[in-house]
Amino acid sequence: MEDSQEYKNKKAYFEKIITLYGRNVVIEVLEDSTIDIHKLHLSNSNKTDGAIETILKLAKKRGVEVTYHDKNALSRISKNAKQDQGVAIDIIANSYQNANTIKNLKSFKLLALEGIQNPQNLGMIIRSCAGGYVDGIILPKKNSAKISPLVIKASAGTLFKLPIYYCDTLDEVLKELKDTKIYLLSSHAKNSIYDIKKSERSIFVLGNESDGVSKEIEKLCNDSLSIPMNRGVESLNVAVTASLIAFMKS
């Protein structure tokens, strides 16, 4: 039995929700009128003073729904009991989209990330792509850094300025994309990033900070590219590599 359109719409809505945590982060989110908010979560053990008082005033001003939980329930929502400070907030990230929609695009230049674990690297990659000539980032849910306060801080407020396409694993997306040039970034590649020709649909795959791209993903790539290096330098930080790709007009 096919799901109803109402169910599909509801599912799509909740897939766009990202939960952030921490008192300062929540205050910043509530103060930013450009960010849509679904719900605010508070631990019922919080004392209503200082930051919590500010949070409640901002939530009331914006008409945000507030729900209270015991400490354990709140930690299950934030998924970070050590750093949530008894506060979590659900934001509606309209730029957070299902990667299934990519195949409907006529042309694009995307960055695909596999196994990027460092939240600061992810934030800096997002910032470079937002500022450069990239149409979006493919970010798997498995084996990747999650969208978190650290990522938002490293992105310097650019997180919601370009599409981030989510999927479970990267291979499920790449297998479905036809007529697309998929490039693997590798220090061992013979071809340079400066030698490629412009393509209507292109994806540049960057791998884990230590291990690079997996063999499974490597098999799905059409070509591998390197960044020419001088003075015996072997490789660059993944965020720096992303910046170079982002500002190429290819």
Side-chain angles (χ1 to χ4, degrees), residues 143-175:
N143 197 31
S144 296
K146 303 294 185 290
I147 302 298
S148 68
L150 285 176
V151 172
I152 291 178
K153 183 177 181 180
S155 75
T158 63
L159 176 63
F160 308 115
K161 292 185 181 295
L162 86 164
I164 295 180
Y165 297 99
Y166 63 84
C167 55
D168 286 328
T169 59
L170 187 56
D171 61 324
E172 69 185 36
V173 178
L174 299 184
K175 287 176 181 177

Side-chain angles (χ1 to χ4, degrees), residues 120-122 124-125 128 206 236-244:
Q120 290 184 316
N121 279 341
L122 177 57
M124 288 188 287
I125 289 170
S128 294
L206 277 64
L236 297 172
N237 173 276
V238 65
V240 176
T241 299
S243 295
L244 292 174

Side-chain angles (χ1 to χ4, degrees), residues 65-124:
E65 180 183 353
V66 182
T67 58
Y68 291 86
H69 313 267
D70 62 48
K71 198 170 184 180
N72 289 333
L74 192 283
S75 67
R76 288 194 293 271
I77 293 169
S78 71
K79 296 182 175 61
N80 197 321
K82 293 182 179 180
Q83 297 181 335
D84 65 31
Q85 299 176 304
V87 179
I89 193 165
D90 297 328
I91 63 173
I92 305 167
N94 291 312
S95 59
Y96 197 55
Q97 304 177 30
N98 195 306
N100 289 333
T101 61
I102 295 173
K103 60 179 178 288
N104 300 323
L105 302 176
K106 182 179 179 181
S107 62
F108 54 75
K109 174 184 175 182
L110 302 174
L111 223 63
L113 307 178
E114 187 196 26
I116 303 300
Q117 304 280 3
N118 188 309
Q120 290 184 316
N121 279 341
L122 177 57
M124 288 188 287

Side-chain angles (χ1 to χ4, degrees), residues 148-206:
S148 68
L150 285 176
V151 172
I152 291 178
K153 183 177 181 180
S155 75
T158 63
L159 176 63
F160 308 115
K161 292 185 181 295
L162 86 164
I164 295 180
Y165 297 99
Y166 63 84
C167 55
D168 286 328
T169 59
L170 187 56
D171 61 324
E172 69 185 36
V173 178
L174 299 184
K175 287 176 181 177
E176 294 296 318
L177 295 175
K178 310 300 181 184
D179 302 319
T180 302
K181 293 289 290 183
I182 304 175
Y183 298 104
L184 162 70
L185 270 294
S186 170
S187 59
H188 307 296
K190 294 181 180 179
N191 295 327
S192 162
I193 61 171
Y194 303 114
D195 296 331
I196 63 172
K197 296 180 180 179
K198 185 176 178 63
S199 174
E200 283 292 306
R201 294 158 61 100
S202 60
I203 296 176
F204 297 83
V205 183
L206 277 64

